[in-house]
Amino acid sequence: MRPTVFYSYIVFLIVLSSCAFKTPDPSVQDKMHIFLDSLINEMTVEEKAGQLTLYTSGWTITGPQLREDYIDELKAGRAGNLFNAHTVDYSMKLQKMAVEETRLGIPLLFGLDVIHGYKTTFPIPLAEASTWDMDIIEKTARLSAKEAASAGVNWTFNPMVDIARDPRWGRIAEGAGEDTYLGSLIGAAKVRGHQGEDLADPTTILACVKHFAAYGAAQAGRDYHTVDMSDRVLRETYLPPYKAALDAGAATLMTSFNELDGVPASGSYYLMTEILRKEWGFDGFVVTDYTSINEMVPHGVVADEKEAVALAFNAGVEMDMQGGIYSKYIPELIREGKISEKVLDAYVKRVLTMKYKLGLFDDPYRYLNAQREQETFFSQELMDHALLSAKESIVLLKNEKVGDSPLLPLSKSTRSIALIGPLADNQKDMLGTWHVAGDETKVITLLQGMKEIAPGVTLHHARGAGFTGDDRPGFREAIQAARKSDVVVMALGENFGQSGEAASRSELGLPGAQQALLEEIQALGKPIVVLVMAGRPLTLEWMHDHVPAIVNTWHLGTQAGRAIAQVLFGDHNPAGKLTITFPRNVGQIPIFYSMKNTGRPFDTQNKYTSRYLDVSNEPLYPFGHGLSYTTFDYADLHLATNELSEGASLPVSVTVTNTGPYEGREIVQLYITDKVGSVTRPVKELKGFKKINLKPGESAKVEFTITTDDLAFYTRDMSYQAEPGTFKVMVGPSSSKGLEAEFELKVNGI
Ligand code: BGC
């Protein structure tokens, strides 16, 4: 092994800690600072820029491969971090290169989009948000981190906390949906899960909050498109989830591709310095999204890439993902005095601090243990949790009676079922978007799941249609299967590539010939259950009007088929609730539950009110909607007082009773309306929820506490506070119904 300057620093530290004259011992923090400052002092400007550089590895048919020119950069110390490089075997080679073949031997960070699992794939994030269950969500992140960490990954580009209210945007699949309050809790839970208690634990990995900021508000739902909004909306609706995830300790943050108020995020001093550093005190590091510094040229705010580097650097961005232009231009810009070396040192230190906290300077190979990797992949713990999470993510949208009872759950003594659709026996698409290392061969398909759980039922399976084009050659077989069956189950929706990045759609119906297939099968008059498997809300109005039972199963990952089959046959009573509004048609978009009232709220008696001529204002399924095989009754909404004074809190309770035949879980939701504000307020806002379990006939008193913080907003002068006045409280099973009461908030006795 070549002696490196790095190792002389280790010696320096050992000497420092054993020095007899040194009193008192430097604290752990002090040691880190001394170590890092001395290291930075030894670095050339090129090596410093290298630590601010992140390159992707590529995957070829035979496995992962790093571009030749990156290898040269790496060995020269000009590439300090890699992503899309994983598995112990491969990462070991690269880490050795960095540690043994570069002048200073600084270990690499290995990043990866571990979005909903590494090998074991969990439900897509929008699906898992429907659990409203922070324990499940945190555990998914914890276990994903553990599995990814066992394969050499020490940094994930997760959580994605972009509020999204336009289902045309394919990346809606990656987030928690439309709501700021829920999205903030979910972002924080994911950070806790990934980073655990201590980054020095080699089963934890760095989290990266993305995409800062407001990427989810792309105009017309077209990916990478312009974002423009008032500072009020930005701060009230879009920023809180980023802040919550950072407050939970997220080590890093990613910029977004979009411009905001005319400035691309990666060049925005307002976002990266004023808000992030000065207002929020973030002390981790910022990485750009993929080549987004370079993209400031086509955005049109800089003439060339060198100017782009200066803009991003001076805005407060530490690391360049894949652009390769920090390493190219930083040395030159320092020489020209356009950027400061002192700032460069501070940026490098933030990156090295994370490597230090991960323990990579103690042992650069601590994530690279082949035995641990083998033991962790698809472990029972992972598979069990993937099943639980998948079951809890399923949302029962509709379940009407066929004969005397609701169509679902199906009886295991049903004689025959036709299982039709392109997702019925499909492994790959169950993985959903961003399934990085997900192994489709391990996926349980719906057909397999149904055979496993109901072996006595005769299944007639037919694919019927595909995801694109309008070819109908499969229709005949599907119709025959339906004709000879008692019940039809259709697995329809999107393939994994039809949502996610660069997968915006202008029409949100079932893609390909699936709608035509559904209509032909429906015409046969058999009882039909449709399972909608998609990465976003689809427009399901025809289906809603013609089919008795609809279950939204999203893309549920490795255990998809088993989870869905358990719900179909009643072994698991569904409890998921939507965290995103399902529109009736694309023309209603954007549509979300917390809209404003307008000066002319819809009134059937008056044409000149806010509405459409051709569709109602109401969504097909509202935020918070989700049925159960049992029924719940809400009663006795009780407010401890009708007057709340500033700084005090208001206990609220409601009694929920399971009035149906099955044990079930209910997500009880609390919404607040500020009736009069110095600026207009949303018609309602989620401010609390509880997930409860009740046996048939059982009741529970569900308690909430409203504080004045829950009532605060950006007032007319942009100060963040609660204003006195009347507030409405609604507690119920979704955003569209519930019991209501009112209280007054008194501020300074008024
Ligand atoms: C995406 C990010 C992702 C990055 C690295 C980009 O295209 O926008 O979300 O983390 O690629 O894969």
Side-chain angles (χ1 to χ4, degrees), residues 83 113 157 171 210-211 254 257 289-290 321 434 501:
F83 69 117
D113 291 275
F157 304 132
R171 300 200 78 171
K210 68 187 189 186
H211 307 81
M254 190 185 293
F257 287 124
D289 204 347
Y290 208 104
M321 182 196 287
W434 278 124
E501 186 171 353

Side-chain angles (χ1 to χ4, degrees), residues 364-422:
Y365 308 112
R366 64 206 317 267
Y367 284 83
L368 300 168
N369 175 331
Q371 192 190 336
R372 178 155 72 101
E373 183 181 40
Q374 280 320 307
E375 287 166 3
T376 312
F377 284 1
F378 296 110
S379 70
Q380 198 57 45
E381 189 186 23
L382 277 150
M383 291 294 272
D384 288 349
H385 188 66
L387 178 60
L388 172 71
S389 170
K391 288 191 291 195
E392 287 292 294
S393 299
I394 293 172
V395 185
L396 179 62
L397 295 176
K398 178 180 176 191
N399 189 20
E400 280 195 346
K401 284 187 176 167
V402 172
D404 291 339
S405 49
L407 181 53
L408 288 174
L410 299 178
S411 160
K412 286 181 192 165
S413 50
T414 308
R415 258 179 317 159
S416 56
I417 297 179
L419 177 58
I420 297 171

